[in-house]
Every structure is written in structure tokens, then in C-alpha cells.
Amino acid sequence: MSIEAIDLNLLHVLHLVLTERSVAGAARRLHVTPSAVSNALARLRDLLDDPIVTRKGRGIVPTPRAAELAPAIARALHDLDVALFAARFDPATCTRTFTLAVADAGQLTYVPHIARRMTAELPRARLRVVGIDSLVSLGDLAAPEVDVHIGIPGRGPGIHHEPLLTEHTVLIARDRHPATRARLTGKALASLRHVRVEMVPGRAFRDPVADSYKRAGVEREVVLSVPTFTAAAAVVAATDLVATVPASFARAYGPRFDVRALAGPIPARRISLSLSWHERTHQEAASIAFRTLIKQAMAQFGEDKEGPDLRGS
């Protein structure tokens, strides 16, 4: 079989079905009936000799063959869209929805500045923000659901990234924690009990904070794991537990949680944040404008070279 034997409209239908995880959702976007979408899927099943999708609860899930095809179809449709319409891009009239993946600390610290710049430069566009757990579940940057990611540089085929800034981590405790009374000693540091931020529970991601403590020869006792820095700060504020968070988050929101950074021989970590995106949007005019906007919004944060003293927070 060759490409000439396939009605390319069927690939568009498949792309929307896989994106929406719903026949009805794809039908709404195509302005056709669900039965028309089902008929298109039936034709694809015959052509590809594969079930394509199976039902799960109220939704559907792709077969391994469909999951394999999804990124290639998304890239092909996107490239065709760019070739046909890129020259028509106008920031003032762009109505696209851009999706940004960033951890909750960045959602609180960086997203307000990005949103303010968007209202000025892309006034009719929409911004959707998702967490790192959603980035993973949606298929990472290779899938069509997420446009850019702010965080640790992306990896994998077709991933581009550009450095944004570097900052430090700090160890926070509640304002009246016994450890805030004086500079920590190594023995006092080893006695602390920690909250760990695990943004994608159940996934075997490297824990860089644990690595920092291990290199310093300090055993870190983790007694609680939470999915967000916000939850970690809330727990710290209510207990004698401590947590490692980005300095910018502690600076901006430490007073609201009534937490402060501890001083002493604390294993610090430098966080190198990058803007990452996939090859499928690398040359698209709208995506370039969106990435430029993010870089400009983030430029004001500069580089945290000293690891600021937040004990007065």
C-alpha cells in the first residue's frame, strides 16, 4: 500500500480522535456527526489492519499502532499548516491557545509575568498552563498537547531548548521552628525531617536534592512526599518538617506561608531552567512569537548568583 491509496482526510480525523480521546469530541471539532467519525475510523481499520482505538470507560485509548502513528501524523499536519498559513500570522489577531508546562513554583512566580506580557502582545490568544505531571501524561513535548516547557532542559529526539536562568534552592522551615534560632550545625541539619516534592508520583525520576545531600555526606530523612512546592510549604508551615524549594518561590511566597530559609551548611543546588520545545513547532511563526514573549518575561528575573538570604522573610 502507498500513500496514494489513503484519503488524507482520514488522517486528520484520526489526529483529532487521538487528541480528544473521544469520537464525539473529534466530531464537534470537525462539525460532523459522531457516526461520520466512526465511519472514518472503520475505513482506517481496514486500511491499516488494526483496531486503531479501543473503548475505556466513557473514553477511548489508542492501540500501540495508533500511539506510534500519532506523533508522525501530528507533525505532518502541523508542517502542512505552517507551509500554508505561516505567512498570515498576526500577533494582534492570533486566537490560538498556547499550552505551557511548568511546575507549580513557576506557575506562581513566572506565569503572572508571562500572562501580563501576553495580554499586551498576543491580546486575543489564550494561555493554558499545566503541571509536570500533566506534561508526562500528555506525552511530553513530542505530543501535540504541549507547546513549551519551563524547567530542566528537555531531552529526546527533536527537542530544542534554550537557557533561561539559574537559581538556587533553599531549605525552609516554619518561622518559629527551633532550627531558626541560630545557624544550623551539621548535627542539627542531620536531625531534620524532610518533605520531598515528587511532581510525578510513581515515576523513577532522579532526585537531585537527594544527590546533593548524599554528596555532602548528610543523610536526609524524608517522611512525607507531596506533588507540589505549594503543598510542601503548607506542610512546613504547620509542622516541624522542612523542605527544599526554589529561592524565587521562597522569596515571593515565604511570608504568605509564614516560612523562612534556614542558614548553615545546607547542601544547596543550582537550578538551571530552560525553555524547551519540539521540532514540530520550531519554525512556526506563532510559536516563535510565544517563545520570544516567554524569554522576555523571564529576563527580568536574571540569575540568582548568590542564593539570596531569605531569613528575614
Side-chain angles (χ1 to χ4, degrees):
M1 182 185 298
S2 66
I3 192 68
E4 289 83 359
I6 298 177
D7 180 352
L8 297 183
N9 287 321
L10 298 178
L11 300 182
H12 187 215
V13 172
L14 177 58
H15 168 67
L16 292 180
V17 168
L18 296 178
T19 299
E20 295 289 330
R21 291 291 196 270
S22 165
V23 169
R28 282 193 298 270
R29 291 183 60 176
L30 289 166
H31 305 290
V32 299
T33 63
S35 61
V37 173
S38 296
N39 290 337
L41 290 177
R43 292 174 62 191
L44 275 171
R45 291 187 184 102
D46 291 339
L47 287 168
L48 300 178
D49 193 24
D50 187 89
I52 304 297
V53 294
T54 58
R55 291 198 173 278
K56 183 177 182 181
R58 295 185 178 180
I60 57 175
V61 294
T63 63
R65 175 61 172 151
E68 179 185 25
L69 288 172
I73 293 173
R75 284 194 301 270
L77 292 174
H78 173 266
D79 289 346
L80 182 59
D81 183 67
V82 170
L84 292 173
F85 304 114
R88 301 181 187 179
F89 173 71
D90 179 1
T93 60
C94 175
T95 58
R96 176 168 164 177
T97 296
F98 295 96
T99 300
L100 163 66
V102 61
D104 71 297
Q107 293 172 24
L108 293 173
T109 307
Y110 307 130
V111 169
H113 300 275
I114 294 170
R116 184 168 62 240
R117 191 170 283 270
M118 272 197 73
T119 60
E121 299 182 19
L122 293 169
R124 298 186 62 190
R126 302 290 182 267
L127 176 62
R128 181 177 69 150
V129 179
V130 300
I132 304 305
D133 55 343
S134 294
L135 172 68
V136 172
S137 66
L138 290 170
D140 218 313
L141 291 171
E145 289 291 327
V146 180
D147 296 293
V148 294
H149 165 223
I150 294 175
I152 304 303
R155 294 288 183 267
I159 301 297
H160 297 260
H161 58 84
E162 183 174 334
L164 289 175
L165 58 88
T166 301
E167 71 168 324
H168 287 72
T169 59
V170 293
L171 185 66
I172 59 171
R174 65 180 177 86
D175 190 50
R176 293 174 179 80
H177 192 289
T180 63
R181 296 170 186 166
R183 184 177 178 86
L184 284 175
T185 63
K187 182 178 180 180
L189 176 63
S191 71
L192 296 175
R193 305 171 79 212
H194 295 252
V195 180
R196 178 176 63 191
V197 176
E198 190 178 11
M199 286 180 274
V200 189
R203 294 292 291 263
F205 287 112
R206 170 177 162 267
D207 184 351
V209 176
D211 290 347
S212 298
Y213 274 78
K214 185 176 181 179
R215 286 194 299 270
V218 179
E219 185 173 349
R220 184 176 67 135
E221 182 184 3
V222 175
V223 299
L224 177 64
S225 295
V226 295
T228 65
F229 292 104
T230 309
V235 170
V236 166
T239 67
D240 279 342
L241 301 179
V242 298
T244 300
V245 302
S248 62
F249 173 77
R251 182 189 300 111
Y253 290 92
R256 302 188 189 189
F257 286 100
D258 199 25
V259 299
R260 60 193 294 182
L262 299 175
I266 298 166
R269 173 179 169 243
R270 290 172 66 88
I271 307 171
S272 296
L273 297 181
S274 291
L275 183 65
S276 301
W277 65 95
H278 193 266
E279 175 65 29
R280 62 187 170 79
T281 63
H282 184 57
Q283 296 184 1
E284 183 191 25
S287 294
I288 292 172
F290 181 53
R291 294 195 299 268
T292 300
L293 180 151
I294 291 175
K295 288 183 285 187
Q296 291 171 343
M298 297 285 287
Q300 64 185 291
F301 292 97
E303 183 169 338
D304 176 17
K305 297 179 180 178
E306 302 299 330
D309 184 358
L310 303 172
R311 287 172 292 161
S313 297

